[in-house]
Amino acid sequence: MATKYDWPAAEDRSLIGKRHNRVDGPAKARGAAKYSYDRNLDGMLVARLVTSPVPHGRIISIDTSVAEKVEGYKGHVNIMNVGDEVQWVGTEVLAICADTEEHARDAAAAVNLHFEILPHWVKDEDVKKAGEANRVQPAKDDTKGPDFAAAWDSADETVEGYYGLGIITHCCLEPHGQVVDWTGDDIKVYASTQAVARIPADLARGLSRDESIGTVEADSVEVITPYMGGGFGSKFNIDTWGIACAKLSKKTGRPVKLMLDRDEELMVAGGRPSDYGNVKIGAKRDGTLVAYESETWSTGGIAGRGSPPLPYVYNNEERLAQKARHLNVATNIGPARAWRAPNHPQAAVLTMCPMDDLAAKLDMDPVEFFKKNADLTARPEVYRYEIDKCAEMIGWKEKWHKRGDSGPGPVKRGLGLSLHTWGGRPHDSTCEVRIQPDGGVSVNLASQDLGVGTYTTLSVVAAETLGLQIPDVKINIGNSKLPISGASGGSTTVGGTSASTRRATVNALEELKGVVAGSLGVGADDLVAKDGKVFAKSDPSKSLSWADACRKLGNRTITGQGKQPDRDGGKLNDSGVGGVQMADVSVDVETGVVSINKLAAVQDVGLVLCLEQSESQVYGAMIQGVAWALYEESIYDQATGKMLNPDMEFYKLPGAGDIGEMEVHMVQNKYDDRGVIGIGEPPAISPGAAISNAVANAIGVRVPTLPLTPDRVLAALASA
Amino acid sequence: MSSNKPCDGPVKGPQHEPRKGFSRRTFIEGVGIGAGAVGAVGMAPEARADSSELMGPSPVPITLNINGKSVDLKVEPRVTLIDALRNQLDHTGAKKVCDRATCGACTVIVDGSPVYSCTLLAIEAQGRRIETIEGISTEDSMHPVQVQFVENDAQQCGFCTPGLVMAGKVVADRNPPPSMADVESALSGNICRCGTYVGVRKAVYEAARQGGA
C-alpha cells in the first residue's frame, strides 16, 4: 500500500541514485577531520597498555614499583589481577598513564609481570595435530536435503579436495582506543567505534563492576565520534582498554588518551577466523549439482566462533543433498572479531572453489556451470543476470580458456568467478529532523560514518525529500546524545538510517506545509517542495522560496520524528541480495607471483541511494579481497605462541599498484521497489574464491589455501 | 605488498630521511626481521653522530620550519617528527599508524620530498622546510590533489588520506606530468585499508593533468 513515506518514483528523483561528492570529503582531504586519535585535550595524559608476553599462563605477580617512579608517571589501573589466567599473547593486564607519550612508554616498559607458564596451542591448519593436543571440539553436524549416499552414487563426476584460508586481522589504520574526559558526573568519550549509541551502556556496565567506582549511569556517558578510522566489524565494544582509560581519567582527574599500539591492534583487536576443510562434491554429466559434503575446521581463538554456512549460495534443500560438519580448534590467540560478512568469505572459498574444480572435471565452462545450477540458489534470476553482465565486463567469452590451457611462456593468464549473498536488513533507528525559521535543516541521530558514506546518504535522503540540495542539509551524527540509532554492523546502517531519516523529514515537511498553506491560500495537501521552493501543484504560481516558506515559522522550530521499524511507514527497505565477481589474473609459474589484471563486480542492493559511495564500497571490498587472496595472513609460532607479524612490514597489504583494473556495476532500476539494502558486506565475500579460481584456470592446478603467496603457488605446481 | 615494490623508479614514494641516504628498501634490508628493536638501535647512532654536542635525554629547545613559519618547541631528542607535530603542535592531519616507515600515513613533505615523519627525529628536522597537510589548503581553497580526491571519491574512513594526499601532491606537482605508472610507483609507499586506490590513482593522475599546484 502506498504511503506518503515511500521513496519517490524514479522520474521524481533528483538526487537519489545519482553521483555525489562525499559530504565529509573536503574535511578528510584537508586533514581537518578530527578522529579520536587526534584529540588533544587540555591537560590530557597518555596511557599505554601492559600486555601478556606469554600465550597461556597465570599471573603470579604484577610489580609496578619501578614504573611508579618513572618521570611523568600519573597512575595505573589493573585490568587483570594476580591469579588470573591469560589465554593469548597481548592480553591486557594493566593500563598506565603519564604526562607524555614518551613517559607513558617508559612507565609501561618498567612494569614487571611474572607468570606461571601453562601449555599453549596456536596452530589451526593441521587438525590431526590439534586433535592430539586435545584442542578440537565438534561444533556443527548438519545433514539436509535428499539422501546423501544415494545422491552421491548418482553423480557422474565428483571432486574431493582440500581447501582453506588463513587467519587475517582487521588492521584498522586508526587503532582501537579512545580519549576519556571524566569531569564530575560527566564522562565524555571520544571513541573510535562503530557503535556510538551502544558505548554508554557498555562503558557504564564495565565501570559499575568495579566496587571502588560504584554505580555509573549510562546517561552520564557521552560518546563523540564524528569520524572514525576503519572498523570492518571489529569496533563494537568499549573493550577493556576503554574501561581502563575511563578509570584512569577518574583517578587522575585529567583527560586520558589510550590508543592501541600497532602490534596490539593486530594481535588482540582484530581477527577473522581461518577455515580449512575437505569437500566432496558431485554432479550429473550435464552439470546438475547433486551432492555437497564438507568437513571443516577453524579457529577463532580460545572460545571458538560460528561455522561457515555450507554449502554456500547453492544450497537448495529440496534438490541438493548436503552434509556439513564443522570442528573448532581452540587456540591461544587473540579472539576473533566480526569481519565484513562473518563466515561468508570462508564459505565462498569452500563452495565456489570445489564447484570450479568440478566444472573443470566436467569439461564445462564455469560460467555455464554456475548458471546451470542457479536454480539451487535463492535468487536464480538475479544471479543469471549478474553472471552474464559480469562476464561481459571482464571479457569472459573472448578470454576464457580451458583450465591450464594457457599457452607457452612462464606467465599464464586465467579467469575465475564467485557468487555471494547477504541479508543487510535495516537496524533500528530513530531520527529527528529540524527545520529552522532561517531555512536551516538538520538531521539528528546517534549513528556513525565508518567511511561508508552515511553523511552523504542521509544528506541525499533529506535534501531529496525537501526539494533542496545536499549542502542545504546539515547531518549531525556521531554523538550518543542524539536520537538512538543502531550499531554499524552487518550492512544494517543504510537501510535503518535512511528509513528513519526519510520518515522524520516527511513528517517535518508536512508540518511546514501546514504553516505555509494558509499564507498561500491553498490546502496543505496541494503543496510540494521541489527545486528549493514550496508551491501548489494546482497553481505553481502560488509559490514561496524555501527560505521564505521557513520564515513563516516565526520563532518556531519544526521537529519531525521518524523511526525504523515503522509499520505504517511504507516499505523503505528490505534484506537479501546477490552479487557476482570475476577475476582475470596472471601467474608467473617460475616465481609463483600472482598479479591481478582485472576484477569485475555486479551487485544488487535494491534501491541505490548514492551511486558513487556504493561503488566505492564495492571497490574497497574487492581491494580488501585482493589483500586476503594474495598477501595478508596472521602467522603464529607454536614454539613461542606469538604472532610473528604484528606490524605492517610483514603483515602484507597491497598498494595502489597491486590491484589491477577494477570495474563495478551496481544494478539500478531493476529491484528498486525492494527499497534500500545494505552494501558493506556483500562485495567483501567473493574476491578470494574468484581469484583462486582464476589462478587454477591459469596454471591448471588448484592452490588449496589462501593467501595465494608465491610459495603456495610453487608448491601446488610442484605437486601437480 | 608495497614493501616488495621497488621505490627506486624515476618517481619516488615517501622516503625514510632522504638526507641520510636511506631508501626504504635499504632501511628494510638493513633491519631485517627484528625491525622494531634493531631499527631503533640502528637509528640512534646516526642521530648522535650528526650532533656536535650531546643532547637530552631531557627536552631540548628546537626550531622547526613548518608551512613557512618558524616554530619553537621543546622535545626529548628521541621524539619523532610525527609525535612532535601531533602531540605538541596539534598538527593532527598526518597520522601515526605503523610507526615504522611502512604505511605512509605520516607522510609530510620535507625539502620538497615526501618523508615518513614517524622515522625522522624532530631534532633532525631542524633547518629543513617541512610542509604538512595543514599548510596546503584553507577552508575555502584546496590543492588540486585534494579537490580531485573529493571529485573521485578517493577516501572512505579517511585515515590514510592525508598521507596519500601529500605523497600525491609531490608527484602531481612534477613537470612534465607523471604517467599512471609513475603515480602508482609514487603512491606505493602508502597503505589504505578501506581500499580507495581506484579513486586515489585517478585523483592524483587528474590533478597532475591539471597542472598540480
Side-chain angles (χ1 to χ4, degrees), chain B residues 25-57:
Chain B
R25 169 182 280 184
T26 54
F27 176 72
I28 289 167
E29 279 170 357
V31 300
I33 294 289
V38 183
V41 173
M43 279 305 298
E46 278 293 337
R48 276 201 295 271
D50 227 22
S51 314
S52 52
E53 56 186 301
L54 194 64
M55 285 199 277

PDB file of all heavy atoms in Angstrom, chain B residues 25-57:
ATOM      1  N   ARG B  25      63.919   0.746   0.980  1.00  0.00           N
ATOM      2  CA  ARG B  25      64.399  -0.599   0.733  1.00  0.00           C
ATOM      3  C   ARG B  25      65.650  -0.894   1.556  1.00  0.00           C
ATOM      4  O   ARG B  25      65.746  -1.903   2.236  1.00  0.00           O
ATOM      5  CB  ARG B  25      64.673  -0.774  -0.749  1.00  0.00           C
ATOM      6  CG  ARG B  25      65.436  -2.055  -1.047  1.00  0.00           C
ATOM      7  CD  ARG B  25      65.732  -2.170  -2.498  1.00  0.00           C
ATOM      8  NE  ARG B  25      64.557  -2.650  -3.218  1.00  0.00           N
ATOM      9  CZ  ARG B  25      64.579  -2.907  -4.500  1.00  0.00           C
ATOM     10  NH1 ARG B  25      65.646  -2.686  -5.218  1.00  0.00           N
ATOM     11  NH2 ARG B  25      63.511  -3.382  -5.090  1.00  0.00           N
ATOM     12  N   THR B  26      66.631   0.029   1.516  1.00  0.00           N
ATOM     13  CA  THR B  26      67.856  -0.256   2.270  1.00  0.00           C
ATOM     14  C   THR B  26      67.555  -0.281   3.755  1.00  0.00           C
ATOM     15  O   THR B  26      68.122  -1.065   4.497  1.00  0.00           O
ATOM     16  CB  THR B  26      68.952   0.784   1.987  1.00  0.00           C
ATOM     17  OG1 THR B  26      68.402   2.079   2.234  1.00  0.00           O
ATOM     18  CG2 THR B  26      69.427   0.714   0.555  1.00  0.00           C
ATOM     19  N   PHE B  27      66.611   0.548   4.182  1.00  0.00           N
ATOM     20  CA  PHE B  27      66.226   0.553   5.589  1.00  0.00           C
ATOM     21  C   PHE B  27      65.697  -0.820   5.978  1.00  0.00           C
ATOM     22  O   PHE B  27      66.138  -1.423   6.959  1.00  0.00           O
ATOM     23  CB  PHE B  27      65.173   1.628   5.829  1.00  0.00           C
ATOM     24  CG  PHE B  27      64.642   1.645   7.234  1.00  0.00           C
ATOM     25  CD1 PHE B  27      65.440   2.098   8.267  1.00  0.00           C
ATOM     26  CD2 PHE B  27      63.360   1.214   7.507  1.00  0.00           C
ATOM     27  CE1 PHE B  27      64.953   2.123   9.564  1.00  0.00           C
ATOM     28  CE2 PHE B  27      62.878   1.230   8.793  1.00  0.00           C
ATOM     29  CZ  PHE B  27      63.673   1.689   9.830  1.00  0.00           C
ATOM     30  N   ILE B  28      64.790  -1.334   5.148  1.00  0.00           N
ATOM     31  CA  ILE B  28      64.174  -2.621   5.484  1.00  0.00           C
ATOM     32  C   ILE B  28      65.208  -3.741   5.406  1.00  0.00           C
ATOM     33  O   ILE B  28      65.306  -4.586   6.288  1.00  0.00           O
ATOM     34  CB  ILE B  28      62.983  -2.895   4.559  1.00  0.00           C
ATOM     35  CG1 ILE B  28      61.850  -1.958   4.932  1.00  0.00           C
ATOM     36  CG2 ILE B  28      62.526  -4.346   4.661  1.00  0.00           C
ATOM     37  CD1 ILE B  28      60.747  -1.894   3.931  1.00  0.00           C
ATOM     38  N   GLU B  29      66.048  -3.703   4.369  1.00  0.00           N
ATOM     39  CA  GLU B  29      67.081  -4.732   4.253  1.00  0.00           C
ATOM     40  C   GLU B  29      67.995  -4.682   5.472  1.00  0.00           C
ATOM     41  O   GLU B  29      68.391  -5.687   6.007  1.00  0.00           O
ATOM     42  CB  GLU B  29      67.913  -4.493   2.994  1.00  0.00           C
ATOM     43  CG  GLU B  29      67.218  -5.016   1.746  1.00  0.00           C
ATOM     44  CD  GLU B  29      67.929  -4.568   0.467  1.00  0.00           C
ATOM     45  OE1 GLU B  29      68.915  -3.811   0.578  1.00  0.00           O
ATOM     46  OE2 GLU B  29      67.467  -4.979  -0.603  1.00  0.00           O
ATOM     47  N   GLY B  30      68.299  -3.481   5.898  1.00  0.00           N
ATOM     48  CA  GLY B  30      69.232  -3.296   6.999  1.00  0.00           C
ATOM     49  C   GLY B  30      68.709  -3.845   8.307  1.00  0.00           C
ATOM     50  O   GLY B  30      69.469  -4.383   9.091  1.00  0.00           O
ATOM     51  N   VAL B  31      67.425  -3.710   8.543  1.00  0.00           N
ATOM     52  CA  VAL B  31      66.936  -4.065   9.866  1.00  0.00           C
ATOM     53  C   VAL B  31      66.417  -5.487   9.941  1.00  0.00           C
ATOM     54  O   VAL B  31      66.310  -6.046  11.004  1.00  0.00           O
ATOM     55  CB  VAL B  31      65.844  -3.091  10.363  1.00  0.00           C
ATOM     56  CG1 VAL B  31      66.410  -1.693  10.421  1.00  0.00           C
ATOM     57  CG2 VAL B  31      64.617  -3.140   9.499  1.00  0.00           C
ATOM     58  N   GLY B  32      66.109  -6.071   8.768  1.00  0.00           N
ATOM     59  CA  GLY B  32      65.718  -7.471   8.766  1.00  0.00           C
ATOM     60  C   GLY B  32      64.513  -7.755   9.616  1.00  0.00           C
ATOM     61  O   GLY B  32      63.633  -6.911   9.781  1.00  0.00           O
ATOM     62  N   ILE B  33      64.488  -8.925  10.206  1.00  0.00           N
ATOM     63  CA  ILE B  33      63.286  -9.432  10.856  1.00  0.00           C
ATOM     64  C   ILE B  33      62.908  -8.633  12.103  1.00  0.00           C
ATOM     65  O   ILE B  33      61.785  -8.251  12.304  1.00  0.00           O
ATOM     66  CB  ILE B  33      63.485 -10.913  11.243  1.00  0.00           C
ATOM     67  CG1 ILE B  33      63.610 -11.775   9.982  1.00  0.00           C
ATOM     68  CG2 ILE B  33      62.343 -11.419  12.102  1.00  0.00           C
ATOM     69  CD1 ILE B  33      62.331 -11.934   9.207  1.00  0.00           C
ATOM     70  N   GLY B  34      63.853  -8.359  12.924  1.00  0.00           N
ATOM     71  CA  GLY B  34      63.509  -7.690  14.199  1.00  0.00           C
ATOM     72  C   GLY B  34      63.463  -6.186  14.011  1.00  0.00           C
ATOM     73  O   GLY B  34      64.134  -5.428  14.678  1.00  0.00           O
ATOM     74  N   ALA B  35      62.661  -5.757  13.072  1.00  0.00           N
ATOM     75  CA  ALA B  35      62.712  -4.372  12.613  1.00  0.00           C
ATOM     76  C   ALA B  35      62.573  -3.363  13.752  1.00  0.00           C
ATOM     77  O   ALA B  35      63.278  -2.374  13.766  1.00  0.00           O
ATOM     78  CB  ALA B  35      61.645  -4.137  11.572  1.00  0.00           C
ATOM     79  N   GLY B  36      61.674  -3.640  14.674  1.00  0.00           N
ATOM     80  CA  GLY B  36      61.423  -2.654  15.716  1.00  0.00           C
ATOM     81  C   GLY B  36      62.657  -2.351  16.539  1.00  0.00           C
ATOM     82  O   GLY B  36      63.205  -1.261  16.481  1.00  0.00           O
ATOM     83  N   ALA B  37      63.146  -3.374  17.190  1.00  0.00           N
ATOM     84  CA  ALA B  37      64.259  -3.183  18.100  1.00  0.00           C
ATOM     85  C   ALA B  37      65.521  -2.766  17.345  1.00  0.00           C
ATOM     86  O   ALA B  37      66.173  -1.792  17.687  1.00  0.00           O
ATOM     87  CB  ALA B  37      64.514  -4.482  18.857  1.00  0.00           C
ATOM     88  N   VAL B  38      65.830  -3.504  16.283  1.00  0.00           N
ATOM     89  CA  VAL B  38      67.072  -3.233  15.566  1.00  0.00           C
ATOM     90  C   VAL B  38      67.021  -1.861  14.917  1.00  0.00           C
ATOM     91  O   VAL B  38      67.986  -1.122  14.918  1.00  0.00           O
ATOM     92  CB  VAL B  38      67.314  -4.326  14.496  1.00  0.00           C
ATOM     93  CG1 VAL B  38      68.644  -4.088  13.811  1.00  0.00           C
ATOM     94  CG2 VAL B  38      67.282  -5.684  15.160  1.00  0.00           C
ATOM     95  N   GLY B  39      65.815  -1.516  14.410  1.00  0.00           N
ATOM     96  CA  GLY B  39      65.669  -0.217  13.770  1.00  0.00           C
ATOM     97  C   GLY B  39      65.989   0.911  14.734  1.00  0.00           C
ATOM     98  O   GLY B  39      66.725   1.823  14.405  1.00  0.00           O
ATOM     99  N   ALA B  40      65.511   0.791  15.918  1.00  0.00           N
ATOM    100  CA  ALA B  40      65.727   1.839  16.907  1.00  0.00           C
ATOM    101  C   ALA B  40      67.214   1.967  17.238  1.00  0.00           C
ATOM    102  O   ALA B  40      67.772   3.058  17.265  1.00  0.00           O
ATOM    103  CB  ALA B  40      64.931   1.541  18.160  1.00  0.00           C
ATOM    104  N   VAL B  41      67.840   0.818  17.410  1.00  0.00           N
ATOM    105  CA  VAL B  41      69.266   0.834  17.720  1.00  0.00           C
ATOM    106  C   VAL B  41      70.044   1.400  16.531  1.00  0.00           C
ATOM    107  O   VAL B  41      70.952   2.200  16.672  1.00  0.00           O
ATOM    108  CB  VAL B  41      69.758  -0.595  18.041  1.00  0.00           C
ATOM    109  CG1 VAL B  41      71.264  -0.609  18.186  1.00  0.00           C
ATOM    110  CG2 VAL B  41      69.095  -1.071  19.310  1.00  0.00           C
ATOM    111  N   GLY B  42      69.606   0.997  15.341  1.00  0.00           N
ATOM    112  CA  GLY B  42      70.290   1.433  14.131  1.00  0.00           C
ATOM    113  C   GLY B  42      70.212   2.936  13.925  1.00  0.00           C
ATOM    114  O   GLY B  42      71.100   3.543  13.350  1.00  0.00           O
ATOM    115  N   MET B  43      69.132   3.535  14.384  1.00  0.00           N
ATOM    116  CA  MET B  43      68.934   4.951  14.125  1.00  0.00           C
ATOM    117  C   MET B  43      69.669   5.857  15.118  1.00  0.00           C
ATOM    118  O   MET B  43      70.172   6.892  14.751  1.00  0.00           O
ATOM    119  CB  MET B  43      67.445   5.300  14.193  1.00  0.00           C
ATOM    120  CG  MET B  43      66.691   4.984  12.952  1.00  0.00           C
ATOM    121  SD  MET B  43      67.446   5.766  11.528  1.00  0.00           S
ATOM    122  CE  MET B  43      67.263   7.506  11.979  1.00  0.00           C
ATOM    123  N   ALA B  44      69.695   5.428  16.341  1.00  0.00           N
ATOM    124  CA  ALA B  44      70.193   6.327  17.378  1.00  0.00           C
ATOM    125  C   ALA B  44      71.616   6.833  17.107  1.00  0.00           C
ATOM    126  O   ALA B  44      71.864   8.029  17.200  1.00  0.00           O
ATOM    127  CB  ALA B  44      70.085   5.658  18.727  1.00  0.00           C
ATOM    128  N   PRO B  45      72.557   5.945  16.725  1.00  0.00           N
ATOM    129  CA  PRO B  45      73.913   6.430  16.486  1.00  0.00           C
ATOM    130  C   PRO B  45      73.945   7.441  15.334  1.00  0.00           C
ATOM    131  O   PRO B  45      74.705   8.406  15.397  1.00  0.00           O
ATOM    132  CB  PRO B  45      74.674   5.163  16.112  1.00  0.00           C
ATOM    133  CG  PRO B  45      73.845   4.033  16.592  1.00  0.00           C
ATOM    134  CD  PRO B  45      72.445   4.509  16.533  1.00  0.00           C
ATOM    135  N   GLU B  46      73.140   7.228  14.315  1.00  0.00           N
ATOM    136  CA  GLU B  46      73.039   8.191  13.220  1.00  0.00           C
ATOM    137  C   GLU B  46      72.776   9.579  13.787  1.00  0.00           C
ATOM    138  O   GLU B  46      73.431  10.543  13.435  1.00  0.00           O
ATOM    139  CB  GLU B  46      71.844   7.857  12.323  1.00  0.00           C
ATOM    140  CG  GLU B  46      72.045   6.785  11.288  1.00  0.00           C
ATOM    141  CD  GLU B  46      73.013   7.165  10.189  1.00  0.00           C
ATOM    142  OE1 GLU B  46      73.216   8.373   9.954  1.00  0.00           O
ATOM    143  OE2 GLU B  46      73.560   6.253   9.584  1.00  0.00           O
ATOM    144  N   ALA B  47      71.750   9.609  14.620  1.00  0.00           N
ATOM    145  CA  ALA B  47      71.314  10.887  15.142  1.00  0.00           C
ATOM    146  C   ALA B  47      72.422  11.520  15.983  1.00  0.00           C
ATOM    147  O   ALA B  47      72.684  12.704  15.885  1.00  0.00           O
ATOM    148  CB  ALA B  47      70.055  10.707  15.967  1.00  0.00           C
ATOM    149  N   ARG B  48      73.052  10.681  16.773  1.00  0.00           N
ATOM    150  CA  ARG B  48      74.086  11.209  17.656  1.00  0.00           C
ATOM    151  C   ARG B  48      75.302  11.680  16.857  1.00  0.00           C
ATOM    152  O   ARG B  48      75.861  12.727  17.115  1.00  0.00           O
ATOM    153  CB  ARG B  48      74.515  10.140  18.657  1.00  0.00           C
ATOM    154  CG  ARG B  48      73.600  10.069  19.865  1.00  0.00           C
ATOM    155  CD  ARG B  48      74.301   9.405  21.033  1.00  0.00           C
ATOM    156  NE  ARG B  48      74.610   8.011  20.755  1.00  0.00           N
ATOM    157  CZ  ARG B  48      73.790   7.021  21.018  1.00  0.00           C
ATOM    158  NH1 ARG B  48      72.607   7.252  21.545  1.00  0.00           N
ATOM    159  NH2 ARG B  48      74.124   5.787  20.764  1.00  0.00           N
ATOM    160  N   ALA B  49      75.643  10.886  15.807  1.00  0.00           N
ATOM    161  CA  ALA B  49      76.846  11.185  15.052  1.00  0.00           C
ATOM    162  C   ALA B  49      76.756  12.568  14.414  1.00  0.00           C
ATOM    163  O   ALA B  49      77.736  13.235  14.193  1.00  0.00           O
ATOM    164  CB  ALA B  49      77.045  10.126  13.975  1.00  0.00           C
ATOM    165  N   ASP B  50      75.541  12.978  14.126  1.00  0.00           N
ATOM    166  CA  ASP B  50      75.331  14.236  13.456  1.00  0.00           C
ATOM    167  C   ASP B  50      75.480  15.423  14.401  1.00  0.00           C
ATOM    168  O   ASP B  50      75.648  16.551  13.969  1.00  0.00           O
ATOM    169  CB  ASP B  50      73.918  14.229  12.867  1.00  0.00           C
ATOM    170  CG  ASP B  50      73.937  14.696  11.434  1.00  0.00           C
ATOM    171  OD1 ASP B  50      75.008  14.630  10.787  1.00  0.00           O
ATOM    172  OD2 ASP B  50      72.895  15.147  10.966  1.00  0.00           O
ATOM    173  N   SER B  51      75.361  15.179  15.683  1.00  0.00           N
ATOM    174  CA  SER B  51      75.299  16.287  16.641  1.00  0.00           C
ATOM    175  C   SER B  51      76.690  16.603  17.153  1.00  0.00           C
ATOM    176  O   SER B  51      77.488  15.719  17.430  1.00  0.00           O
ATOM    177  CB  SER B  51      74.403  15.912  17.817  1.00  0.00           C
ATOM    178  OG  SER B  51      73.226  15.321  17.331  1.00  0.00           O
ATOM    179  N   SER B  52      76.927  17.877  17.294  1.00  0.00           N
ATOM    180  CA  SER B  52      78.235  18.264  17.785  1.00  0.00           C
ATOM    181  C   SER B  52      78.290  18.143  19.303  1.00  0.00           C
ATOM    182  O   SER B  52      79.333  18.047  19.898  1.00  0.00           O
ATOM    183  CB  SER B  52      78.548  19.690  17.342  1.00  0.00           C
ATOM    184  OG  SER B  52      77.471  20.526  17.707  1.00  0.00           O
ATOM    185  N   GLU B  53      77.141  18.214  19.944  1.00  0.00           N
ATOM    186  CA  GLU B  53      77.126  18.068  21.396  1.00  0.00           C
ATOM    187  C   GLU B  53      76.061  17.053  21.786  1.00  0.00           C
ATOM    188  O   GLU B  53      75.129  16.796  21.036  1.00  0.00           O
ATOM    189  CB  GLU B  53      76.813  19.419  22.047  1.00  0.00           C
ATOM    190  CG  GLU B  53      75.507  20.007  21.548  1.00  0.00           C
ATOM    191  CD  GLU B  53      75.267  21.413  22.074  1.00  0.00           C
ATOM    192  OE1 GLU B  53      75.230  21.546  23.303  1.00  0.00           O
ATOM    193  OE2 GLU B  53      75.139  22.339  21.278  1.00  0.00           O
ATOM    194  N   LEU B  54      76.225  16.519  22.976  1.00  0.00           N
ATOM    195  CA  LEU B  54      75.260  15.541  23.472  1.00  0.00           C
ATOM    196  C   LEU B  54      73.954  16.248  23.815  1.00  0.00           C
ATOM    197  O   LEU B  54      73.961  17.287  24.468  1.00  0.00           O
ATOM    198  CB  LEU B  54      75.848  14.876  24.727  1.00  0.00           C
ATOM    199  CG  LEU B  54      75.160  13.605  25.194  1.00  0.00           C
ATOM    200  CD1 LEU B  54      75.289  12.507  24.154  1.00  0.00           C
ATOM    201  CD2 LEU B  54      75.758  13.176  26.528  1.00  0.00           C
ATOM    202  N   MET B  55      72.852  15.697  23.324  1.00  0.00           N
ATOM    203  CA  MET B  55      71.553  16.307  23.627  1.00  0.00           C
ATOM    204  C   MET B  55      70.708  15.318  24.427  1.00  0.00           C
ATOM    205  O   MET B  55      70.780  14.125  24.189  1.00  0.00           O
ATOM    206  CB  MET B  55      70.832  16.669  22.333  1.00  0.00           C
ATOM    207  CG  MET B  55      71.401  17.905  21.656  1.00  0.00           C
ATOM    208  SD  MET B  55      70.209  18.579  20.496  1.00  0.00           S
ATOM    209  CE  MET B  55      70.515  17.556  19.085  1.00  0.00           C
ATOM    210  N   GLY B  56      69.914  15.860  25.334  1.00  0.00           N
ATOM    211  CA  GLY B  56      68.970  15.020  26.043  1.00  0.00           C
ATOM    212  C   GLY B  56      69.612  14.289  27.197  1.00  0.00           C
ATOM    213  O   GLY B  56      70.728  14.598  27.562  1.00  0.00           O
ATOM    214  N   PRO B  57      68.932  13.340  27.836  1.00  0.00           N
ATOM    215  CA  PRO B  57      67.625  12.848  27.426  1.00  0.00           C
ATOM    216  C   PRO B  57      66.461  13.799  27.747  1.00  0.00           C
ATOM    217  O   PRO B  57      65.351  13.544  27.321  1.00  0.00           O
ATOM    218  CB  PRO B  57      67.486  11.531  28.205  1.00  0.00           C
ATOM    219  CG  PRO B  57      68.293  11.760  29.438  1.00  0.00           C
ATOM    220  CD  PRO B  57      69.423  12.647  29.030  1.00  0.00           C
TER     221      PRO B  57
END
